[in-house]
Amino acid sequence: MHSDHSPYLKFAGKYRVEKSINSLLGLVEGISVDACINDREVGFLKSWVSEHQELWNNHPYNELVPVVSHAIADGILSAEEKLDILWLCERLRRTDYFDKVTADLQRLHALVGGIAADGVVSADELRGLSEWMENHEDLRTCWPYDEIGSLVTKVLSDKRIDDEEQKLVQRFFSEFIGLMDNQTIVSPRLEGESLIAGLCAVCPEIAFSGSTFCFTGASSKYSRAEFSILVRQLGGEAISGVTAKLNYLIIGADGNPCWAYACYGRKVEKAVELRKKGIRLLLVHENDFHDAVADVR
């Protein structure tokens, strides 16, 4: 766990439980949505168990982890074992702490990550995802529900997935594989004239002089204070919040275990809302920010 996150854990105990259970629900649904589970997909369930090792003796993990561990011990997740896990998760979820939209968005993030887990997205998986989304239309207008829906509709329009569509779907869905506590986006994603754009800009042009910057997440290279000093040295302004006057939101490479969603935090959600309203605001992965700094020095 990144040292920047430790001070917040005392405020997020129930929050982390809710998130991890919703992630497990979505992950199980995602890897089994096509009724076919392979070794690599089972490996993602093993990773979930490992991520919560420090909590195995605490409720509700002392009930949940043994069920998951037993189910995947033979490397196979049967239909009955899947139902056992889903049943238990539903009863352990404490949605009185969060509204249904938040819980289902967490679940959608993990479901999409589960679909992308084995590196191949099939038409059956997309049809299963589409059916799940039809049953959760309360998420409309919430990112990334609308974007995922547009992509699935486009790809399934001819009832097959060609090579280019496979790359398109896999690149977008792979953003959601980082659903464990200490992971986030690992590389910039899709951008262009398609119906859907990835979260981060690809090879963005960054102008420091006269521009405003905000940082979210955690960085292994800079502290927040160091980030602010660096931006000012290069002629820019570092601000603490996301507004219509923000030019660049820099997304740290280390995920925050206290975020409500699998990969993204409040600032990212706000930035996406502003982009939908036509505000010219770039979301930039930390790696691209480092490259831009190197270019001007």
Side-chain angles (χ1 to χ4, degrees), residues 158-206:
D158 59 358
K159 299 181 181 180
R160 59 183 294 271
I161 305 178
D162 61 32
D163 290 343
E164 287 302 312
E165 289 173 334
Q166 180 68 227
K167 293 176 183 177
L168 176 72
V169 174
Q170 185 63 29
R171 288 184 68 189
F172 185 76
F173 281 18
S174 62
E175 285 192 2
F176 301 93
I177 289 178
L179 57 87
M180 304 307 179
D181 279 350
N182 63 348
Q183 296 178 353
T184 187
I185 312 159
V186 295
S187 63
R189 297 298 176 189
L190 183 67
E191 185 183 58
E193 297 179 355
S194 58
L195 294 177
I196 188 167
L199 184 65
C200 292
V202 176
C203 300
E205 293 290 334
I206 299 177

mmCIF file of all heavy atoms in Angstrom, residues 158-206:
data_model
loop_
_atom_site.group_PDB
_atom_site.id
_atom_site.type_symbol
_atom_site.label_atom_id
_atom_site.label_comp_id
_atom_site.label_asym_id
_atom_site.label_seq_id
_atom_site.Cartn_x
_atom_site.Cartn_y
_atom_site.Cartn_z
ATOM 1 N N ASP A 158 -23.272 -6.056 -36.146
ATOM 2 C CA ASP A 158 -23.217 -7.071 -37.202
ATOM 3 C C ASP A 158 -23.095 -8.490 -36.638
ATOM 4 O O ASP A 158 -22.792 -9.439 -37.349
ATOM 5 C CB ASP A 158 -22.058 -6.788 -38.156
ATOM 6 C CG ASP A 158 -20.706 -6.775 -37.442
ATOM 7 O OD1 ASP A 158 -20.695 -6.951 -36.196
ATOM 8 O OD2 ASP A 158 -19.681 -6.591 -38.109
ATOM 9 N N LYS A 159 -23.297 -8.626 -35.326
ATOM 10 C CA LYS A 159 -23.331 -9.915 -34.632
ATOM 11 C C LYS A 159 -22.005 -10.680 -34.677
ATOM 12 O O LYS A 159 -21.966 -11.900 -34.538
ATOM 13 C CB LYS A 159 -24.453 -10.799 -35.181
ATOM 14 C CG LYS A 159 -25.825 -10.181 -35.011
ATOM 15 C CD LYS A 159 -26.916 -11.086 -35.546
ATOM 16 C CE LYS A 159 -28.282 -10.432 -35.388
ATOM 17 N NZ LYS A 159 -29.376 -11.295 -35.900
ATOM 18 N N ARG A 160 -20.907 -9.958 -34.908
ATOM 19 C CA ARG A 160 -19.591 -10.579 -34.888
ATOM 20 C C ARG A 160 -18.565 -9.539 -34.437
ATOM 21 O O ARG A 160 -18.842 -8.342 -34.454
ATOM 22 C CB ARG A 160 -19.204 -11.130 -36.257
ATOM 23 C CG ARG A 160 -19.164 -10.077 -37.354
ATOM 24 C CD ARG A 160 -18.853 -10.681 -38.717
ATOM 25 N NE ARG A 160 -17.508 -11.225 -38.742
ATOM 26 C CZ ARG A 160 -16.432 -10.515 -39.087
ATOM 27 N NH1 ARG A 160 -16.550 -9.231 -39.416
ATOM 28 N NH2 ARG A 160 -15.248 -11.079 -39.112
ATOM 29 N N ILE A 161 -17.394 -10.004 -34.010
ATOM 30 C CA ILE A 161 -16.329 -9.108 -33.562
ATOM 31 C C ILE A 161 -15.114 -9.337 -34.451
ATOM 32 O O ILE A 161 -14.484 -10.400 -34.393
ATOM 33 C CB ILE A 161 -15.950 -9.375 -32.084
ATOM 34 C CG1 ILE A 161 -17.190 -9.279 -31.188
ATOM 35 C CG2 ILE A 161 -14.888 -8.384 -31.620
ATOM 36 C CD1 ILE A 161 -16.911 -9.583 -29.727
ATOM 37 N N ASP A 162 -14.793 -8.345 -35.302
ATOM 38 C CA ASP A 162 -13.614 -8.495 -36.148
ATOM 39 C C ASP A 162 -12.360 -8.104 -35.360
ATOM 40 O O ASP A 162 -12.443 -7.713 -34.189
ATOM 41 C CB ASP A 162 -13.744 -7.687 -37.436
ATOM 42 C CG ASP A 162 -13.894 -6.188 -37.183
ATOM 43 O OD1 ASP A 162 -13.337 -5.675 -36.195
ATOM 44 O OD2 ASP A 162 -14.577 -5.517 -37.985
ATOM 45 N N ASP A 163 -11.201 -8.194 -35.990
ATOM 46 C CA ASP A 163 -9.940 -7.963 -35.281
ATOM 47 C C ASP A 163 -9.839 -6.543 -34.737
ATOM 48 O O ASP A 163 -9.383 -6.339 -33.608
ATOM 49 C CB ASP A 163 -8.753 -8.245 -36.217
ATOM 50 C CG ASP A 163 -8.607 -9.727 -36.540
ATOM 51 O OD1 ASP A 163 -9.199 -10.541 -35.794
ATOM 52 O OD2 ASP A 163 -7.914 -10.064 -37.517
ATOM 53 N N GLU A 164 -10.242 -5.562 -35.530
ATOM 54 C CA GLU A 164 -10.158 -4.179 -35.077
ATOM 55 C C GLU A 164 -11.103 -3.925 -33.912
ATOM 56 O O GLU A 164 -10.765 -3.219 -32.953
ATOM 57 C CB GLU A 164 -10.470 -3.220 -36.230
ATOM 58 C CG GLU A 164 -9.368 -3.120 -37.257
ATOM 59 C CD GLU A 164 -8.051 -2.677 -36.632
ATOM 60 O OE1 GLU A 164 -8.064 -1.691 -35.866
ATOM 61 O OE2 GLU A 164 -7.016 -3.321 -36.893
ATOM 62 N N GLU A 165 -12.304 -4.487 -33.975
ATOM 63 C CA GLU A 165 -13.258 -4.329 -32.878
ATOM 64 C C GLU A 165 -12.760 -5.031 -31.622
ATOM 65 O O GLU A 165 -12.963 -4.539 -30.502
ATOM 66 C CB GLU A 165 -14.619 -4.874 -33.296
ATOM 67 C CG GLU A 165 -15.331 -4.021 -34.335
ATOM 68 C CD GLU A 165 -16.585 -4.678 -34.857
ATOM 69 O OE1 GLU A 165 -16.668 -5.928 -34.835
ATOM 70 O OE2 GLU A 165 -17.493 -3.947 -35.305
ATOM 71 N N GLN A 166 -12.095 -6.180 -31.810
ATOM 72 C CA GLN A 166 -11.534 -6.893 -30.670
ATOM 73 C C GLN A 166 -10.506 -6.020 -29.947
ATOM 74 O O GLN A 166 -10.500 -5.923 -28.714
ATOM 75 C CB GLN A 166 -10.878 -8.196 -31.137
ATOM 76 C CG GLN A 166 -10.260 -9.043 -30.031
ATOM 77 C CD GLN A 166 -11.290 -9.630 -29.088
ATOM 78 O OE1 GLN A 166 -11.137 -9.554 -27.871
ATOM 79 N NE2 GLN A 166 -12.359 -10.205 -29.637
ATOM 80 N N LYS A 167 -9.646 -5.359 -30.724
ATOM 81 C CA LYS A 167 -8.640 -4.465 -30.134
ATOM 82 C C LYS A 167 -9.310 -3.284 -29.442
ATOM 83 O O LYS A 167 -8.908 -2.873 -28.352
ATOM 84 C CB LYS A 167 -7.685 -3.969 -31.213
ATOM 85 C CG LYS A 167 -6.804 -5.047 -31.822
ATOM 86 C CD LYS A 167 -5.950 -4.476 -32.948
ATOM 87 C CE LYS A 167 -5.109 -5.564 -33.604
ATOM 88 N NZ LYS A 167 -4.328 -5.014 -34.751
ATOM 89 N N LEU A 168 -10.335 -2.726 -30.086
ATOM 90 C CA LEU A 168 -11.061 -1.591 -29.542
ATOM 91 C C LEU A 168 -11.668 -1.916 -28.183
ATOM 92 O O LEU A 168 -11.479 -1.190 -27.197
ATOM 93 C CB LEU A 168 -12.155 -1.171 -30.521
ATOM 94 C CG LEU A 168 -13.113 -0.052 -30.098
ATOM 95 C CD1 LEU A 168 -12.398 1.283 -30.111
ATOM 96 C CD2 LEU A 168 -14.312 -0.009 -31.028
ATOM 97 N N VAL A 169 -12.386 -3.041 -28.122
ATOM 98 C CA VAL A 169 -13.051 -3.446 -26.883
ATOM 99 C C VAL A 169 -12.033 -3.795 -25.803
ATOM 100 O O VAL A 169 -12.150 -3.372 -24.651
ATOM 101 C CB VAL A 169 -13.989 -4.646 -27.139
ATOM 102 C CG1 VAL A 169 -14.572 -5.153 -25.833
ATOM 103 C CG2 VAL A 169 -15.107 -4.259 -28.091
ATOM 104 N N GLN A 170 -11.017 -4.581 -26.191
ATOM 105 C CA GLN A 170 -10.038 -5.039 -25.204
ATOM 106 C C GLN A 170 -9.270 -3.866 -24.603
ATOM 107 O O GLN A 170 -9.022 -3.833 -23.400
ATOM 108 C CB GLN A 170 -9.067 -6.030 -25.851
ATOM 109 C CG GLN A 170 -8.088 -6.666 -24.866
ATOM 110 C CD GLN A 170 -8.789 -7.495 -23.808
ATOM 111 O OE1 GLN A 170 -9.857 -8.043 -24.044
ATOM 112 N NE2 GLN A 170 -8.209 -7.566 -22.629
ATOM 113 N N ARG A 171 -8.928 -2.883 -25.430
ATOM 114 C CA ARG A 171 -8.180 -1.734 -24.911
ATOM 115 C C ARG A 171 -9.011 -0.945 -23.920
ATOM 116 O O ARG A 171 -8.491 -0.490 -22.887
ATOM 117 C CB ARG A 171 -7.733 -0.822 -26.067
ATOM 118 C CG ARG A 171 -6.624 -1.393 -26.927
ATOM 119 C CD ARG A 171 -6.178 -0.404 -27.982
ATOM 120 N NE ARG A 171 -5.506 0.736 -27.388
ATOM 121 C CZ ARG A 171 -5.175 1.832 -28.069
ATOM 122 N NH1 ARG A 171 -5.465 1.913 -29.354
ATOM 123 N NH2 ARG A 171 -4.547 2.824 -27.470
ATOM 124 N N PHE A 172 -10.284 -0.770 -24.204
ATOM 125 C CA PHE A 172 -11.125 -0.012 -23.269
ATOM 126 C C PHE A 172 -11.421 -0.821 -22.015
ATOM 127 O O PHE A 172 -11.274 -0.333 -20.895
ATOM 128 C CB PHE A 172 -12.425 0.412 -23.932
ATOM 129 C CG PHE A 172 -13.265 1.296 -23.045
ATOM 130 C CD1 PHE A 172 -12.933 2.622 -22.865
ATOM 131 C CD2 PHE A 172 -14.362 0.781 -22.380
ATOM 132 C CE1 PHE A 172 -13.684 3.429 -22.026
ATOM 133 C CE2 PHE A 172 -15.122 1.578 -21.539
ATOM 134 C CZ PHE A 172 -14.785 2.917 -21.366
ATOM 135 N N PHE A 173 -11.815 -2.081 -22.192
ATOM 136 C CA PHE A 173 -12.168 -2.900 -21.041
ATOM 137 C C PHE A 173 -10.980 -3.136 -20.122
ATOM 138 O O PHE A 173 -11.156 -3.315 -18.915
ATOM 139 C CB PHE A 173 -12.739 -4.244 -21.503
ATOM 140 C CG PHE A 173 -14.182 -4.193 -21.936
ATOM 141 C CD1 PHE A 173 -14.786 -2.988 -22.250
ATOM 142 C CD2 PHE A 173 -14.932 -5.360 -22.035
ATOM 143 C CE1 PHE A 173 -16.110 -2.932 -22.654
ATOM 144 C CE2 PHE A 173 -16.263 -5.323 -22.433
ATOM 145 C CZ PHE A 173 -16.846 -4.102 -22.752
ATOM 146 N N SER A 174 -9.769 -3.165 -20.684
ATOM 147 C CA SER A 174 -8.602 -3.475 -19.855
ATOM 148 C C SER A 174 -8.330 -2.392 -18.829
ATOM 149 O O SER A 174 -7.600 -2.619 -17.858
ATOM 150 C CB SER A 174 -7.360 -3.674 -20.730
ATOM 151 O OG SER A 174 -7.043 -2.501 -21.450
ATOM 152 N N GLU A 175 -8.915 -1.191 -19.002
ATOM 153 C CA GLU A 175 -8.778 -0.167 -17.965
ATOM 154 C C GLU A 175 -9.363 -0.639 -16.641
ATOM 155 O O GLU A 175 -8.944 -0.211 -15.576
ATOM 156 C CB GLU A 175 -9.485 1.118 -18.382
ATOM 157 C CG GLU A 175 -8.750 1.928 -19.425
ATOM 158 C CD GLU A 175 -9.348 3.322 -19.578
ATOM 159 O OE1 GLU A 175 -10.304 3.638 -18.844
ATOM 160 O OE2 GLU A 175 -8.847 4.078 -20.410
ATOM 161 N N PHE A 176 -10.331 -1.531 -16.701
ATOM 162 C CA PHE A 176 -11.074 -1.904 -15.509
ATOM 163 C C PHE A 176 -10.529 -3.159 -14.839
ATOM 164 O O PHE A 176 -11.069 -3.621 -13.838
ATOM 165 C CB PHE A 176 -12.552 -2.101 -15.863
ATOM 166 C CG PHE A 176 -13.161 -0.874 -16.445
ATOM 167 C CD1 PHE A 176 -13.191 -0.676 -17.816
ATOM 168 C CD2 PHE A 176 -13.650 0.122 -15.630
ATOM 169 C CE1 PHE A 176 -13.726 0.470 -18.366
ATOM 170 C CE2 PHE A 176 -14.189 1.280 -16.163
ATOM 171 C CZ PHE A 176 -14.226 1.451 -17.538
ATOM 172 N N ILE A 177 -9.422 -3.706 -15.383
ATOM 173 C CA ILE A 177 -8.813 -4.871 -14.747
ATOM 174 C C ILE A 177 -8.180 -4.474 -13.419
ATOM 175 O O ILE A 177 -8.091 -5.275 -12.496
ATOM 176 C CB ILE A 177 -7.770 -5.521 -15.683
ATOM 177 C CG1 ILE A 177 -8.506 -6.200 -16.849
ATOM 178 C CG2 ILE A 177 -6.917 -6.541 -14.942
ATOM 179 C CD1 ILE A 177 -7.590 -6.834 -17.863
ATOM 180 N N GLY A 178 -7.759 -3.210 -13.295
ATOM 181 C CA GLY A 178 -7.123 -2.765 -12.049
ATOM 182 C C GLY A 178 -8.127 -2.558 -10.946
ATOM 183 O O GLY A 178 -8.346 -1.445 -10.491
ATOM 184 N N LEU A 179 -8.754 -3.636 -10.478
ATOM 185 C CA LEU A 179 -9.816 -3.488 -9.494
ATOM 186 C C LEU A 179 -9.358 -3.805 -8.077
ATOM 187 O O LEU A 179 -10.117 -3.674 -7.131
ATOM 188 C CB LEU A 179 -11.006 -4.385 -9.851
ATOM 189 C CG LEU A 179 -10.745 -5.883 -10.002
ATOM 190 C CD1 LEU A 179 -10.858 -6.576 -8.648
ATOM 191 C CD2 LEU A 179 -11.739 -6.502 -10.960
ATOM 192 N N MET A 180 -8.092 -4.212 -7.895
ATOM 193 C CA MET A 180 -7.617 -4.501 -6.557
ATOM 194 C C MET A 180 -7.261 -3.199 -5.840
ATOM 195 O O MET A 180 -7.167 -2.135 -6.428
ATOM 196 C CB MET A 180 -6.399 -5.433 -6.606
ATOM 197 C CG MET A 180 -6.678 -6.719 -7.351
ATOM 198 S SD MET A 180 -8.124 -7.602 -6.737
ATOM 199 C CE MET A 180 -8.164 -9.004 -7.840
ATOM 200 N N ASP A 181 -7.022 -3.298 -4.541
ATOM 201 C CA ASP A 181 -6.872 -2.105 -3.729
ATOM 202 C C ASP A 181 -5.712 -1.206 -4.138
ATOM 203 O O ASP A 181 -5.761 -0.006 -3.941
ATOM 204 C CB ASP A 181 -6.685 -2.492 -2.255
ATOM 205 C CG ASP A 181 -8.020 -2.786 -1.596
ATOM 206 O OD1 ASP A 181 -9.050 -2.509 -2.213
ATOM 207 O OD2 ASP A 181 -8.009 -3.273 -0.455
ATOM 208 N N ASN A 182 -4.624 -1.764 -4.647
ATOM 209 C CA ASN A 182 -3.433 -0.954 -4.875
ATOM 210 C C ASN A 182 -3.093 -0.796 -6.348
ATOM 211 O O ASN A 182 -1.947 -0.626 -6.708
ATOM 212 C CB ASN A 182 -2.231 -1.563 -4.147
ATOM 213 C CG ASN A 182 -1.884 -2.936 -4.676
ATOM 214 O OD1 ASN A 182 -2.655 -3.519 -5.419
ATOM 215 N ND2 ASN A 182 -0.727 -3.436 -4.293
ATOM 216 N N GLN A 183 -4.098 -0.867 -7.205
ATOM 217 C CA GLN A 183 -3.842 -0.746 -8.633
ATOM 218 C C GLN A 183 -4.716 0.331 -9.251
ATOM 219 O O GLN A 183 -5.788 0.641 -8.761
ATOM 220 C CB GLN A 183 -4.115 -2.072 -9.362
ATOM 221 C CG GLN A 183 -3.189 -3.188 -8.922
ATOM 222 C CD GLN A 183 -3.521 -4.489 -9.624
ATOM 223 O OE1 GLN A 183 -4.511 -4.579 -10.339
ATOM 224 N NE2 GLN A 183 -2.709 -5.490 -9.414
ATOM 225 N N THR A 184 -4.253 0.902 -10.329
ATOM 226 C CA THR A 184 -5.057 1.828 -11.111
ATOM 227 C C THR A 184 -4.660 1.674 -12.574
ATOM 228 O O THR A 184 -4.076 0.680 -12.959
ATOM 229 C CB THR A 184 -4.884 3.270 -10.615
ATOM 230 O OG1 THR A 184 -5.807 4.102 -11.305
ATOM 231 C CG2 THR A 184 -3.486 3.796 -10.818
ATOM 232 N N ILE A 185 -4.948 2.647 -13.386
ATOM 233 C CA ILE A 185 -4.620 2.584 -14.795
ATOM 234 C C ILE A 185 -3.114 2.410 -14.957
ATOM 235 O O ILE A 185 -2.336 3.092 -14.313
ATOM 236 C CB ILE A 185 -5.046 3.888 -15.484
ATOM 237 C CG1 ILE A 185 -6.481 4.243 -15.093
ATOM 238 C CG2 ILE A 185 -4.921 3.773 -16.985
ATOM 239 C CD1 ILE A 185 -6.809 5.675 -15.287
ATOM 240 N N VAL A 186 -2.669 1.535 -15.817
ATOM 241 C CA VAL A 186 -1.246 1.285 -15.987
ATOM 242 C C VAL A 186 -0.700 1.883 -17.274
ATOM 243 O O VAL A 186 0.498 1.959 -17.462
ATOM 244 C CB VAL A 186 -0.928 -0.219 -15.972
ATOM 245 C CG1 VAL A 186 -1.249 -0.804 -14.610
ATOM 246 C CG2 VAL A 186 -1.711 -0.960 -17.049
ATOM 247 N N SER A 187 -1.558 2.333 -18.173
ATOM 248 C CA SER A 187 -1.083 2.957 -19.410
ATOM 249 C C SER A 187 -2.213 3.776 -20.011
ATOM 250 O O SER A 187 -3.383 3.519 -19.750
ATOM 251 C CB SER A 187 -0.630 1.894 -20.405
ATOM 252 O OG SER A 187 -1.716 1.072 -20.780
ATOM 253 N N PRO A 188 -1.876 4.798 -20.823
ATOM 254 C CA PRO A 188 -2.920 5.583 -21.479
ATOM 255 C C PRO A 188 -3.776 4.697 -22.382
ATOM 256 O O PRO A 188 -3.294 3.715 -22.922
ATOM 257 C CB PRO A 188 -2.132 6.608 -22.301
ATOM 258 C CG PRO A 188 -0.813 6.681 -21.625
ATOM 259 C CD PRO A 188 -0.555 5.290 -21.111
ATOM 260 N N ARG A 189 -5.025 5.118 -22.580
ATOM 261 C CA ARG A 189 -5.948 4.286 -23.340
ATOM 262 C C ARG A 189 -6.470 4.987 -24.591
ATOM 263 O O ARG A 189 -5.969 6.013 -25.001
ATOM 264 C CB ARG A 189 -7.103 3.866 -22.421
ATOM 265 C CG ARG A 189 -6.639 3.003 -21.253
ATOM 266 C CD ARG A 189 -6.013 1.717 -21.730
ATOM 267 N NE ARG A 189 -5.489 0.951 -20.618
ATOM 268 C CZ ARG A 189 -4.742 -0.119 -20.741
ATOM 269 N NH1 ARG A 189 -4.403 -0.564 -21.938
ATOM 270 N NH2 ARG A 189 -4.306 -0.771 -19.685
ATOM 271 N N LEU A 190 -7.505 4.420 -25.137
ATOM 272 C CA LEU A 190 -8.037 4.783 -26.439
ATOM 273 C C LEU A 190 -8.508 6.229 -26.520
ATOM 274 O O LEU A 190 -9.076 6.775 -25.605
ATOM 275 C CB LEU A 190 -9.206 3.857 -26.755
ATOM 276 C CG LEU A 190 -9.862 4.013 -28.105
ATOM 277 C CD1 LEU A 190 -8.900 3.599 -29.197
ATOM 278 C CD2 LEU A 190 -11.122 3.183 -28.146
ATOM 279 N N GLU A 191 -8.263 6.834 -27.674
ATOM 280 C CA GLU A 191 -8.792 8.159 -27.958
ATOM 281 C C GLU A 191 -8.942 8.282 -29.463
ATOM 282 O O GLU A 191 -8.179 7.710 -30.217
ATOM 283 C CB GLU A 191 -7.855 9.245 -27.439
ATOM 284 C CG GLU A 191 -8.422 10.647 -27.602
ATOM 285 C CD GLU A 191 -7.428 11.695 -27.145
ATOM 286 O OE1 GLU A 191 -6.320 11.723 -27.696
ATOM 287 O OE2 GLU A 191 -7.765 12.451 -26.252
ATOM 288 N N GLY A 192 -9.893 9.035 -29.943
ATOM 289 C CA GLY A 192 -10.037 9.182 -31.382
ATOM 290 C C GLY A 192 -11.440 9.528 -31.785
ATOM 291 O O GLY A 192 -12.199 10.089 -31.005
ATOM 292 N N GLU A 193 -11.825 9.167 -33.001
ATOM 293 C CA GLU A 193 -13.111 9.566 -33.547
ATOM 294 C C GLU A 193 -14.175 8.491 -33.381
ATOM 295 O O GLU A 193 -15.263 8.598 -33.934
ATOM 296 C CB GLU A 193 -12.948 9.898 -35.032
ATOM 297 C CG GLU A 193 -12.026 11.084 -35.275
ATOM 298 C CD GLU A 193 -11.863 11.389 -36.745
ATOM 299 O OE1 GLU A 193 -12.394 10.602 -37.567
ATOM 300 O OE2 GLU A 193 -11.232 12.395 -37.061
ATOM 301 N N SER A 194 -13.873 7.450 -32.642
ATOM 302 C CA SER A 194 -14.860 6.393 -32.414
ATOM 303 C C SER A 194 -15.949 6.889 -31.473
ATOM 304 O O SER A 194 -15.882 8.001 -30.948
ATOM 305 C CB SER A 194 -14.174 5.162 -31.819
ATOM 306 O OG SER A 194 -13.521 5.498 -30.618
ATOM 307 N N LEU A 195 -16.959 6.040 -31.237
ATOM 308 C CA LEU A 195 -18.072 6.450 -30.387
ATOM 309 C C LEU A 195 -17.667 6.563 -28.922
ATOM 310 O O LEU A 195 -18.402 7.113 -28.123
ATOM 311 C CB LEU A 195 -19.223 5.431 -30.512
ATOM 312 C CG LEU A 195 -19.898 5.363 -31.877
ATOM 313 C CD1 LEU A 195 -20.964 4.278 -31.873
ATOM 314 C CD2 LEU A 195 -20.517 6.708 -32.232
ATOM 315 N N ILE A 196 -16.505 6.049 -28.592
ATOM 316 C CA ILE A 196 -16.117 6.008 -27.201
ATOM 317 C C ILE A 196 -14.663 6.444 -27.073
ATOM 318 O O ILE A 196 -13.840 6.150 -27.927
ATOM 319 C CB ILE A 196 -16.294 4.581 -26.646
ATOM 320 C CG1 ILE A 196 -16.094 4.542 -25.150
ATOM 321 C CG2 ILE A 196 -15.406 3.581 -27.327
ATOM 322 C CD1 ILE A 196 -16.563 3.234 -24.541
ATOM 323 N N ALA A 197 -14.349 7.171 -26.033
ATOM 324 C CA ALA A 197 -12.970 7.594 -25.796
ATOM 325 C C ALA A 197 -12.518 7.065 -24.458
ATOM 326 O O ALA A 197 -13.288 6.996 -23.505
ATOM 327 C CB ALA A 197 -12.868 9.117 -25.809
ATOM 328 N N GLY A 198 -11.254 6.677 -24.377
ATOM 329 C CA GLY A 198 -10.715 6.189 -23.125
ATOM 330 C C GLY A 198 -10.569 7.311 -22.119
ATOM 331 O O GLY A 198 -10.754 8.487 -22.423
ATOM 332 N N LEU A 199 -10.223 6.948 -20.927
ATOM 333 C CA LEU A 199 -10.133 7.927 -19.851
ATOM 334 C C LEU A 199 -9.013 8.920 -20.100
ATOM 335 O O LEU A 199 -9.190 10.126 -20.049
ATOM 336 C CB LEU A 199 -9.902 7.191 -18.536
ATOM 337 C CG LEU A 199 -9.877 8.084 -17.301
ATOM 338 C CD1 LEU A 199 -11.231 8.711 -17.075
ATOM 339 C CD2 LEU A 199 -9.464 7.277 -16.087
ATOM 340 N N CYS A 200 -7.806 8.430 -20.368
ATOM 341 C CA CYS A 200 -6.641 9.292 -20.525
ATOM 342 C C CYS A 200 -6.364 9.600 -21.993
ATOM 343 O O CYS A 200 -6.577 8.772 -22.864
ATOM 344 C CB CYS A 200 -5.402 8.634 -19.915
ATOM 345 S SG CYS A 200 -5.471 8.504 -18.120
ATOM 346 N N ALA A 201 -5.854 10.817 -22.226
ATOM 347 C CA ALA A 201 -5.449 11.196 -23.574
ATOM 348 C C ALA A 201 -4.235 10.380 -23.996
ATOM 349 O O ALA A 201 -3.412 10.003 -23.165
ATOM 350 C CB ALA A 201 -5.122 12.690 -23.622
ATOM 351 N N VAL A 202 -4.131 10.097 -25.281
ATOM 352 C CA VAL A 202 -3.006 9.344 -25.820
ATOM 353 C C VAL A 202 -1.982 10.323 -26.383
ATOM 354 O O VAL A 202 -2.296 11.143 -27.232
ATOM 355 C CB VAL A 202 -3.472 8.365 -26.917
ATOM 356 C CG1 VAL A 202 -2.273 7.653 -27.532
ATOM 357 C CG2 VAL A 202 -4.462 7.369 -26.349
ATOM 358 N N CYS A 203 -0.742 10.236 -25.884
ATOM 359 C CA CYS A 203 0.346 11.129 -26.321
ATOM 360 C C CYS A 203 -0.117 12.587 -26.313
ATOM 361 O O CYS A 203 -0.075 13.273 -27.353
ATOM 362 C CB CYS A 203 0.853 10.739 -27.698
ATOM 363 S SG CYS A 203 1.506 9.061 -27.785
ATOM 364 N N PRO A 204 -0.583 13.102 -25.180
ATOM 365 C CA PRO A 204 -1.137 14.459 -25.144
ATOM 366 C C PRO A 204 -0.074 15.532 -25.312
ATOM 367 O O PRO A 204 1.076 15.364 -24.903
ATOM 368 C CB PRO A 204 -1.752 14.531 -23.742
ATOM 369 C CG PRO A 204 -0.896 13.615 -22.926
ATOM 370 C CD PRO A 204 -0.548 12.477 -23.842
ATOM 371 N N GLU A 205 -0.472 16.640 -25.919
ATOM 372 C CA GLU A 205 0.377 17.825 -25.989
ATOM 373 C C GLU A 205 0.117 18.644 -24.726
ATOM 374 O O GLU A 205 -1.007 19.080 -24.488
ATOM 375 C CB GLU A 205 0.047 18.650 -27.237
ATOM 376 C CG GLU A 205 0.401 17.971 -28.548
ATOM 377 C CD GLU A 205 1.907 17.884 -28.761
ATOM 378 O OE1 GLU A 205 2.628 18.735 -28.191
ATOM 379 O OE2 GLU A 205 2.349 16.959 -29.471
ATOM 380 N N ILE A 206 1.142 18.849 -23.919
ATOM 381 C CA ILE A 206 0.980 19.554 -22.649
ATOM 382 C C ILE A 206 1.751 20.867 -22.702
ATOM 383 O O ILE A 206 2.963 20.879 -22.909
ATOM 384 C CB ILE A 206 1.478 18.697 -21.473
ATOM 385 C CG1 ILE A 206 0.673 17.388 -21.392
ATOM 386 C CG2 ILE A 206 1.366 19.464 -20.162
ATOM 387 C CD1 ILE A 206 1.129 16.441 -20.307
#
